Amino acid sequence: MPIDLIIFDCDGVLVDSEVISCRAHADMLTRHGYPITSAQVSERFLGRSTRQANLEIETELGRKLPEAYHGDLQDELFRAFEADLEAIRGIHDVLDVVTQRVCVASSGSHQRMQVSLGSTGLYARFAPNIFSSSQVKNGKPAPDLFLFAAGEMGVPPECCVVIEDSLAGIAGARAAGMIVFGFYGGSHCGDGHAEALRQAGADLTFSDMHQLPELVRRVAADALTG
Ligand SMILES: [Mg+2]
């Protein structure tokens, strides 16, 4: 089977957002009665949908998060994205040269991607092929979002390569029957991240986005001969 579609996760793969996002979540959760550090947010919730994270927190708290939390978080997150967010190094160059079609599959909301991809010049390069877990029943690590994205693009799962930086995302892509590359070039990725991605089932891992076209070529050649 040829590789016809590259499905990019957004946070930590297209934009270097995870450090900014974890800090904003930790600040706002702490302010609204759930003390947590940025590192703990990263460890527990990275790559998962906000909906599922909030449910878990509310179960622990034994009450709903206050209404103001959601608005305050969004304001702080979008402010920080506009001020500090950068595209992952090399991604614009890669999008100039890859021959496969591309799309985005993110646990984040469409509104969040409009801000994060928009402020880094990436939105127009993918629109309208930008898909959110809000469009499916179960977020990552379920396969739903990847299967939905491939279906919308009209490409069978076995002809897709997924690029993911989170364990939940790797698990979701595997469950969808897709080839998955673990990316650990985001500034939130510490020692051991590549190994964790491999253990979660990544077919290979890489940290320099410039390598992507060659890695896809190699996998496509293997698929043809193997
Ligand atoms: Mg991610």
PDB file of all heavy atoms in Angstrom, residues 184-209:
ATOM      1  N   TYR A 184       9.581  13.779  18.978  1.00  0.00           N
ATOM      2  CA  TYR A 184       9.975  14.278  20.311  1.00  0.00           C
ATOM      3  C   TYR A 184      10.819  15.536  20.209  1.00  0.00           C
ATOM      4  O   TYR A 184      11.690  15.798  21.045  1.00  0.00           O
ATOM      5  CB  TYR A 184      10.668  13.180  21.126  1.00  0.00           C
ATOM      6  CG  TYR A 184      11.970  12.642  20.562  1.00  0.00           C
ATOM      7  CD1 TYR A 184      13.205  13.070  21.049  1.00  0.00           C
ATOM      8  CD2 TYR A 184      11.964  11.694  19.544  1.00  0.00           C
ATOM      9  CE1 TYR A 184      14.393  12.580  20.546  1.00  0.00           C
ATOM     10  CE2 TYR A 184      13.149  11.200  19.029  1.00  0.00           C
ATOM     11  CZ  TYR A 184      14.354  11.650  19.533  1.00  0.00           C
ATOM     12  OH  TYR A 184      15.533  11.162  19.020  1.00  0.00           O
ATOM     13  N   GLY A 185      10.513  16.398  19.227  1.00  0.00           N
ATOM     14  CA  GLY A 185      11.256  17.649  19.047  1.00  0.00           C
ATOM     15  C   GLY A 185      10.641  18.840  19.766  1.00  0.00           C
ATOM     16  O   GLY A 185      11.220  19.931  19.749  1.00  0.00           O
ATOM     17  N   GLY A 186       9.467  18.662  20.390  1.00  0.00           N
ATOM     18  CA  GLY A 186       8.849  19.773  21.119  1.00  0.00           C
ATOM     19  C   GLY A 186       9.642  20.104  22.372  1.00  0.00           C
ATOM     20  O   GLY A 186      10.319  19.244  22.931  1.00  0.00           O
ATOM     21  N   SER A 187       9.541  21.360  22.825  1.00  0.00           N
ATOM     22  CA  SER A 187      10.372  21.760  23.970  1.00  0.00           C
ATOM     23  C   SER A 187       9.895  21.140  25.277  1.00  0.00           C
ATOM     24  O   SER A 187      10.596  21.202  26.277  1.00  0.00           O
ATOM     25  CB  SER A 187      10.455  23.281  24.081  1.00  0.00           C
ATOM     26  OG  SER A 187       9.176  23.832  24.151  1.00  0.00           O
ATOM     27  N   HIS A 188       8.724  20.492  25.283  1.00  0.00           N
ATOM     28  CA  HIS A 188       8.247  19.818  26.498  1.00  0.00           C
ATOM     29  C   HIS A 188       8.830  18.406  26.631  1.00  0.00           C
ATOM     30  O   HIS A 188       8.649  17.771  27.660  1.00  0.00           O
ATOM     31  CB  HIS A 188       6.720  19.706  26.484  1.00  0.00           C
ATOM     32  CG  HIS A 188       6.190  18.831  25.381  1.00  0.00           C
ATOM     33  ND1 HIS A 188       6.297  19.186  24.054  1.00  0.00           N
ATOM     34  CD2 HIS A 188       5.587  17.623  25.391  1.00  0.00           C
ATOM     35  CE1 HIS A 188       5.744  18.227  23.313  1.00  0.00           C
ATOM     36  NE2 HIS A 188       5.326  17.259  24.102  1.00  0.00           N
ATOM     37  N   CYS A 189       9.492  17.906  25.589  1.00  0.00           N
ATOM     38  CA  CYS A 189       9.956  16.515  25.603  1.00  0.00           C
ATOM     39  C   CYS A 189      11.290  16.389  26.323  1.00  0.00           C
ATOM     40  O   CYS A 189      12.311  16.892  25.838  1.00  0.00           O
ATOM     41  CB  CYS A 189      10.089  15.983  24.178  1.00  0.00           C
ATOM     42  SG  CYS A 189       8.543  15.977  23.274  1.00  0.00           S
ATOM     43  N   GLY A 190      11.275  15.743  27.454  1.00  0.00           N
ATOM     44  CA  GLY A 190      12.507  15.554  28.216  1.00  0.00           C
ATOM     45  C   GLY A 190      13.176  14.237  27.870  1.00  0.00           C
ATOM     46  O   GLY A 190      12.773  13.550  26.929  1.00  0.00           O
ATOM     47  N   ASP A 191      14.207  13.903  28.637  1.00  0.00           N
ATOM     48  CA  ASP A 191      14.891  12.620  28.469  1.00  0.00           C
ATOM     49  C   ASP A 191      13.868  11.500  28.628  1.00  0.00           C
ATOM     50  O   ASP A 191      12.999  11.571  29.485  1.00  0.00           O
ATOM     51  CB  ASP A 191      15.959  12.434  29.561  1.00  0.00           C
ATOM     52  CG  ASP A 191      17.120  13.399  29.370  1.00  0.00           C
ATOM     53  OD1 ASP A 191      17.213  13.997  28.268  1.00  0.00           O
ATOM     54  OD2 ASP A 191      17.900  13.564  30.319  1.00  0.00           O
ATOM     55  N   GLY A 192      13.997  10.501  27.799  1.00  0.00           N
ATOM     56  CA  GLY A 192      13.123   9.350  27.965  1.00  0.00           C
ATOM     57  C   GLY A 192      11.838   9.455  27.161  1.00  0.00           C
ATOM     58  O   GLY A 192      11.083   8.482  27.085  1.00  0.00           O
ATOM     59  N   HIS A 193      11.571  10.624  26.558  1.00  0.00           N
ATOM     60  CA  HIS A 193      10.317  10.763  25.804  1.00  0.00           C
ATOM     61  C   HIS A 193      10.302   9.842  24.586  1.00  0.00           C
ATOM     62  O   HIS A 193       9.292   9.191  24.304  1.00  0.00           O
ATOM     63  CB  HIS A 193      10.097  12.223  25.387  1.00  0.00           C
ATOM     64  CG  HIS A 193       8.681  12.524  25.002  1.00  0.00           C
ATOM     65  ND1 HIS A 193       7.705  12.853  25.920  1.00  0.00           N
ATOM     66  CD2 HIS A 193       8.061  12.519  23.805  1.00  0.00           C
ATOM     67  CE1 HIS A 193       6.551  13.036  25.290  1.00  0.00           C
ATOM     68  NE2 HIS A 193       6.730  12.847  24.004  1.00  0.00           N
ATOM     69  N   ALA A 194      11.431   9.774  23.880  1.00  0.00           N
ATOM     70  CA  ALA A 194      11.491   8.924  22.675  1.00  0.00           C
ATOM     71  C   ALA A 194      11.245   7.463  23.046  1.00  0.00           C
ATOM     72  O   ALA A 194      10.485   6.758  22.374  1.00  0.00           O
ATOM     73  CB  ALA A 194      12.848   9.086  21.987  1.00  0.00           C
ATOM     74  N   GLU A 195      11.877   7.024  24.127  1.00  0.00           N
ATOM     75  CA  GLU A 195      11.723   5.645  24.574  1.00  0.00           C
ATOM     76  C   GLU A 195      10.260   5.366  24.962  1.00  0.00           C
ATOM     77  O   GLU A 195       9.703   4.317  24.627  1.00  0.00           O
ATOM     78  CB  GLU A 195      12.662   5.394  25.764  1.00  0.00           C
ATOM     79  CG  GLU A 195      12.591   4.003  26.364  1.00  0.00           C
ATOM     80  CD  GLU A 195      12.858   2.888  25.354  1.00  0.00           C
ATOM     81  OE1 GLU A 195      13.587   3.135  24.365  1.00  0.00           O
ATOM     82  OE2 GLU A 195      12.304   1.774  25.550  1.00  0.00           O
ATOM     83  N   ALA A 196       9.648   6.330  25.642  1.00  0.00           N
ATOM     84  CA  ALA A 196       8.242   6.168  26.027  1.00  0.00           C
ATOM     85  C   ALA A 196       7.346   6.053  24.797  1.00  0.00           C
ATOM     86  O   ALA A 196       6.409   5.248  24.772  1.00  0.00           O
ATOM     87  CB  ALA A 196       7.791   7.340  26.906  1.00  0.00           C
ATOM     88  N   LEU A 197       7.651   6.836  23.760  1.00  0.00           N
ATOM     89  CA  LEU A 197       6.854   6.787  22.519  1.00  0.00           C
ATOM     90  C   LEU A 197       7.023   5.432  21.839  1.00  0.00           C
ATOM     91  O   LEU A 197       6.064   4.863  21.323  1.00  0.00           O
ATOM     92  CB  LEU A 197       7.277   7.913  21.567  1.00  0.00           C
ATOM     93  CG  LEU A 197       6.981   9.350  22.034  1.00  0.00           C
ATOM     94  CD1 LEU A 197       7.595  10.358  21.059  1.00  0.00           C
ATOM     95  CD2 LEU A 197       5.488   9.598  22.174  1.00  0.00           C
ATOM     96  N   ARG A 198       8.250   4.926  21.850  1.00  0.00           N
ATOM     97  CA  ARG A 198       8.494   3.602  21.256  1.00  0.00           C
ATOM     98  C   ARG A 198       7.743   2.521  22.018  1.00  0.00           C
ATOM     99  O   ARG A 198       7.124   1.635  21.431  1.00  0.00           O
ATOM    100  CB  ARG A 198       9.995   3.293  21.225  1.00  0.00           C
ATOM    101  CG  ARG A 198      10.708   3.833  19.981  1.00  0.00           C
ATOM    102  CD  ARG A 198      12.100   3.249  19.825  1.00  0.00           C
ATOM    103  NE  ARG A 198      12.985   3.673  20.908  1.00  0.00           N
ATOM    104  CZ  ARG A 198      13.668   4.827  20.899  1.00  0.00           C
ATOM    105  NH1 ARG A 198      13.576   5.642  19.882  1.00  0.00           N
ATOM    106  NH2 ARG A 198      14.434   5.148  21.908  1.00  0.00           N
ATOM    107  N   GLN A 199       7.796   2.612  23.340  1.00  0.00           N
ATOM    108  CA  GLN A 199       7.095   1.602  24.151  1.00  0.00           C
ATOM    109  C   GLN A 199       5.588   1.664  23.972  1.00  0.00           C
ATOM    110  O   GLN A 199       4.901   0.660  24.105  1.00  0.00           O
ATOM    111  CB  GLN A 199       7.468   1.766  25.627  1.00  0.00           C
ATOM    112  CG  GLN A 199       8.867   1.234  25.888  1.00  0.00           C
ATOM    113  CD  GLN A 199       9.192   1.119  27.358  1.00  0.00           C
ATOM    114  OE1 GLN A 199       8.377   1.427  28.210  1.00  0.00           O
ATOM    115  NE2 GLN A 199      10.408   0.674  27.648  1.00  0.00           N
ATOM    116  N   ALA A 200       5.098   2.873  23.662  1.00  0.00           N
ATOM    117  CA  ALA A 200       3.655   3.018  23.420  1.00  0.00           C
ATOM    118  C   ALA A 200       3.263   2.447  22.058  1.00  0.00           C
ATOM    119  O   ALA A 200       2.082   2.306  21.763  1.00  0.00           O
ATOM    120  CB  ALA A 200       3.249   4.480  23.517  1.00  0.00           C
ATOM    121  N   GLY A 201       4.286   2.146  21.215  1.00  0.00           N
ATOM    122  CA  GLY A 201       3.981   1.507  19.940  1.00  0.00           C
ATOM    123  C   GLY A 201       4.354   2.299  18.700  1.00  0.00           C
ATOM    124  O   GLY A 201       3.965   1.926  17.585  1.00  0.00           O
ATOM    125  N   ALA A 202       5.116   3.376  18.861  1.00  0.00           N
ATOM    126  CA  ALA A 202       5.543   4.133  17.678  1.00  0.00           C
ATOM    127  C   ALA A 202       6.406   3.251  16.776  1.00  0.00           C
ATOM    128  O   ALA A 202       7.279   2.532  17.262  1.00  0.00           O
ATOM    129  CB  ALA A 202       6.331   5.370  18.103  1.00  0.00           C
ATOM    130  N   ASP A 203       6.160   3.303  15.467  1.00  0.00           N
ATOM    131  CA  ASP A 203       6.962   2.508  14.521  1.00  0.00           C
ATOM    132  C   ASP A 203       8.391   3.026  14.450  1.00  0.00           C
ATOM    133  O   ASP A 203       9.323   2.271  14.214  1.00  0.00           O
ATOM    134  CB  ASP A 203       6.315   2.546  13.136  1.00  0.00           C
ATOM    135  CG  ASP A 203       5.000   1.776  13.120  1.00  0.00           C
ATOM    136  OD1 ASP A 203       5.054   0.540  13.100  1.00  0.00           O
ATOM    137  OD2 ASP A 203       3.927   2.406  13.179  1.00  0.00           O
ATOM    138  N   LEU A 204       8.556   4.341  14.610  1.00  0.00           N
ATOM    139  CA  LEU A 204       9.884   4.943  14.713  1.00  0.00           C
ATOM    140  C   LEU A 204       9.727   6.270  15.435  1.00  0.00           C
ATOM    141  O   LEU A 204       8.611   6.775  15.602  1.00  0.00           O
ATOM    142  CB  LEU A 204      10.526   5.117  13.336  1.00  0.00           C
ATOM    143  CG  LEU A 204       9.808   5.991  12.300  1.00  0.00           C
ATOM    144  CD1 LEU A 204      10.115   7.464  12.477  1.00  0.00           C
ATOM    145  CD2 LEU A 204      10.237   5.562  10.896  1.00  0.00           C
ATOM    146  N   THR A 205      10.845   6.845  15.872  1.00  0.00           N
ATOM    147  CA  THR A 205      10.789   8.157  16.528  1.00  0.00           C
ATOM    148  C   THR A 205      11.802   9.086  15.875  1.00  0.00           C
ATOM    149  O   THR A 205      12.815   8.627  15.329  1.00  0.00           O
ATOM    150  CB  THR A 205      11.103   8.062  18.038  1.00  0.00           C
ATOM    151  OG1 THR A 205      12.387   7.456  18.209  1.00  0.00           O
ATOM    152  CG2 THR A 205      10.060   7.240  18.773  1.00  0.00           C
ATOM    153  N   PHE A 206      11.520  10.394  15.918  1.00  0.00           N
ATOM    154  CA  PHE A 206      12.441  11.390  15.347  1.00  0.00           C
ATOM    155  C   PHE A 206      12.229  12.727  16.051  1.00  0.00           C
ATOM    156  O   PHE A 206      11.160  12.980  16.620  1.00  0.00           O
ATOM    157  CB  PHE A 206      12.240  11.510  13.834  1.00  0.00           C
ATOM    158  CG  PHE A 206      10.945  12.152  13.404  1.00  0.00           C
ATOM    159  CD1 PHE A 206      10.926  13.380  12.756  1.00  0.00           C
ATOM    160  CD2 PHE A 206       9.719  11.532  13.654  1.00  0.00           C
ATOM    161  CE1 PHE A 206       9.733  13.977  12.353  1.00  0.00           C
ATOM    162  CE2 PHE A 206       8.522  12.121  13.259  1.00  0.00           C
ATOM    163  CZ  PHE A 206       8.534  13.343  12.604  1.00  0.00           C
ATOM    164  N   SER A 207      13.268  13.568  16.034  1.00  0.00           N
ATOM    165  CA  SER A 207      13.159  14.844  16.748  1.00  0.00           C
ATOM    166  C   SER A 207      13.400  16.054  15.845  1.00  0.00           C
ATOM    167  O   SER A 207      13.201  17.187  16.280  1.00  0.00           O
ATOM    168  CB  SER A 207      14.153  14.889  17.910  1.00  0.00           C
ATOM    169  OG  SER A 207      15.472  14.818  17.413  1.00  0.00           O
ATOM    170  N   ASP A 208      13.829  15.822  14.596  1.00  0.00           N
ATOM    171  CA  ASP A 208      14.056  16.936  13.671  1.00  0.00           C
ATOM    172  C   ASP A 208      13.019  16.829  12.553  1.00  0.00           C
ATOM    173  O   ASP A 208      13.045  15.889  11.758  1.00  0.00           O
ATOM    174  CB  ASP A 208      15.474  16.850  13.099  1.00  0.00           C
ATOM    175  CG  ASP A 208      15.762  17.977  12.103  1.00  0.00           C
ATOM    176  OD1 ASP A 208      14.837  18.760  11.779  1.00  0.00           O
ATOM    177  OD2 ASP A 208      16.911  18.052  11.631  1.00  0.00           O
ATOM    178  N   MET A 209      12.101  17.793  12.512  1.00  0.00           N
ATOM    179  CA  MET A 209      10.998  17.717  11.551  1.00  0.00           C
ATOM    180  C   MET A 209      11.499  17.638  10.107  1.00  0.00           C
ATOM    181  O   MET A 209      10.835  17.061   9.246  1.00  0.00           O
ATOM    182  CB  MET A 209      10.061  18.912  11.752  1.00  0.00           C
ATOM    183  CG  MET A 209       8.739  18.816  11.035  1.00  0.00           C
ATOM    184  SD  MET A 209       7.795  17.284  11.326  1.00  0.00           S
ATOM    185  CE  MET A 209       7.023  17.605  12.921  1.00  0.00           C
TER     186      MET A 209
END
